[in-house]
Amino acid sequence: MELLDTLFPLGLGHYFTGGLLIGLGVSLLFVLTGLVGGMSSVYSAVWSYFSKVSFFQQEKHFQTRQWRLVYAAGLILGAFIWLVFSGFEVTVTSISWGELALGGFIAGFGARLGNGCTSGHGICGIASLSLPSVLAVLVFLSAAMITAQLIAAFG
Amino acid sequence: MKTTLYWLAILGSGTLFGFGLSISTMIQPEIVLSFLRFEDFGLLLVLGGATGLTMLFYQMAPRILKKPLIAAQFGQKPVDTMKRTLLGALIFGIGWGICGVCPGPAIAGLGAGNWPLLIALFSMLAGAYVQGRWFSGN
């Protein structure tokens, strides 16, 4: 038990429950509509509304932007429902604006270059038994761990 | 043929996803960073739970059903070249390690009132634009 307290100082239940609910959402989307619901694609797809650049006007962005936006709206709705259940206990991050901006920009660029993020490669890709996705998860987890620990040590 | 039910199914799936992200505290970058610094391994349970369940449905559904319940066909995760996938993953990981926010939580966090994540959201949009505009390889 002490080992569990060390590995999971905030408990295990909410992590596993949350993970199952995320998986249920992605699974339901697939069983009902056949859509593969990673989250990073919407960041490219929405540009098809604003940019004439041919990359953004490809079918894979142009034709998926509507469902991806509805899916994203669901994410906000789900988080809001949780907020209501939790009694409006808002936790506002104390990560600096500079880190959010720099990290966000790099993460957005990389996720789109590699066609996937934590949910795209992590959940959908591994669940599809895709080798590139499995390797991508190992690479981005390692890179993120090294980066976060370097910043903690020297930042 | 895109019925109201089709759109509700998508909205409902996203809602479960966002609710799950919130319960599991993945919309708090501090918790994600504590995982990346080996202080709390909860993120593995989130990823494991989500991936395990999804794998079951992704593998079983096309074997049991001829088509999705309210659409014409099952989609597949698009396959990119290995080199591009891994280079993208490397860059994504560095960004994720800096801010502790990935694309899903950047969106979901807004619903829970974690408003500074808007900065990450718009920065990700900018990153996606630069990738598509100048580094798409097309």
Side-chain angles (χ1 to χ4, degrees):
Chain A
M1 289 311 283
E2 270 179 37
L3 179 66
L4 284 183
D5 288 340
T6 309
L7 295 179
F8 306 101
L10 302 175
L12 293 83
H14 67 290
Y15 288 129
F16 195 59
T17 310
L20 288 179
L21 284 170
I22 295 168
L24 196 61
V26 178
S27 299
L28 204 62
L29 182 74
F30 185 69
V31 171
L32 292 175
T33 68
L35 298 170
V36 174
M39 259 303 149
S40 75
S41 300
V42 71
Y43 290 81
S44 295
V46 290
W47 283 111
S48 70
Y49 286 106
F50 309 107
S51 167
K52 291 196 168 68
V53 171
S54 61
F55 175 80
F56 298 115
Q57 292 301 331
Q58 292 175 96
E59 228 173 70
K60 68 173 180 178
H61 296 135
F62 177 73
Q63 290 196 341
T64 65
R65 62 188 186 186
Q66 277 181 308
W67 80 258
R68 290 191 188 283
L69 275 178
V70 172
Y71 192 47
L75 244 68
I76 296 178
L77 179 64
F80 181 74
I81 293 173
W82 170 83
L83 183 68
V84 173
F85 272 110
S86 72
F88 289 92
E89 216 176 285
V90 175
T91 310
V92 175
T93 186
S94 53
I95 305 288
S96 76
W97 289 23
E99 282 172 318
L100 290 171
L102 179 68
F105 181 85
I106 297 172
F109 178 91
R112 294 319 303 140
L113 185 72
N115 210 7
C117 59
T118 331
S119 59
H121 284 310
I123 301 172
C124 303
I126 295 180
S128 307
L129 307 177
S130 147
L131 179 63
S133 286
V134 174
L135 296 177
V137 172
L138 294 177
V139 169
F140 71 61
L141 276 179
S142 312
M145 285 166 174
I146 292 169
T147 306
Q149 305 210 18
L150 284 177
I151 291 174
F154 303 105
Chain B
M1 184 195 63
K2 295 192 173 154
T3 59
T4 309
L5 190 63
Y6 176 82
W7 296 110
L8 278 178
I10 294 167
L11 186 70
S13 306
T15 303
L16 278 169
F17 195 140
F19 193 79
L21 278 176
S22 306
I23 283 195
S24 61
T25 61
M26 293 297 112
I27 56 171
Q28 295 176 32
E30 284 84 351
I31 302 284
V32 174
L33 290 175
S34 76
F35 163 73
L36 295 174
R37 292 171 188 151
F38 302 154
E39 293 155 8
D40 182 328
F41 288 83
L43 190 144
L44 286 182
L45 295 178
V46 181
L47 197 56
T51 306
L53 192 64
T54 304
M55 192 182 291
L56 194 70
F57 281 93
Y58 272 26
Q59 298 304 317
M60 296 299 288
R63 290 181 170 83
I64 297 171
L65 303 167
K66 281 199 189 102
K67 63 182 196 61
L69 298 178
I70 50 175
Q73 55 188 357
F74 287 110
Q76 276 182 334
K77 170 118 188 72
V79 183
D80 236 323
T81 63
M82 187 71 96
K83 192 176 143 196
R84 213 174 159 75
T85 302
L86 297 186
L87 180 63
L90 177 70
I91 297 172
F92 167 66
I94 293 171
W96 190 34
I98 293 173
C99 65
V101 187
C102 41
I107 297 169
L110 303 180
N114 201 348
W115 60 269
L117 297 197
L118 261 181
I119 299 166
L121 177 73
F122 281 109
S123 305
M124 283 178 192
L125 277 171
Y129 182 81
V130 170
Q131 185 275 322
R133 177 77 175 80
W134 289 290
F135 296 89
S136 69
N138 290 351

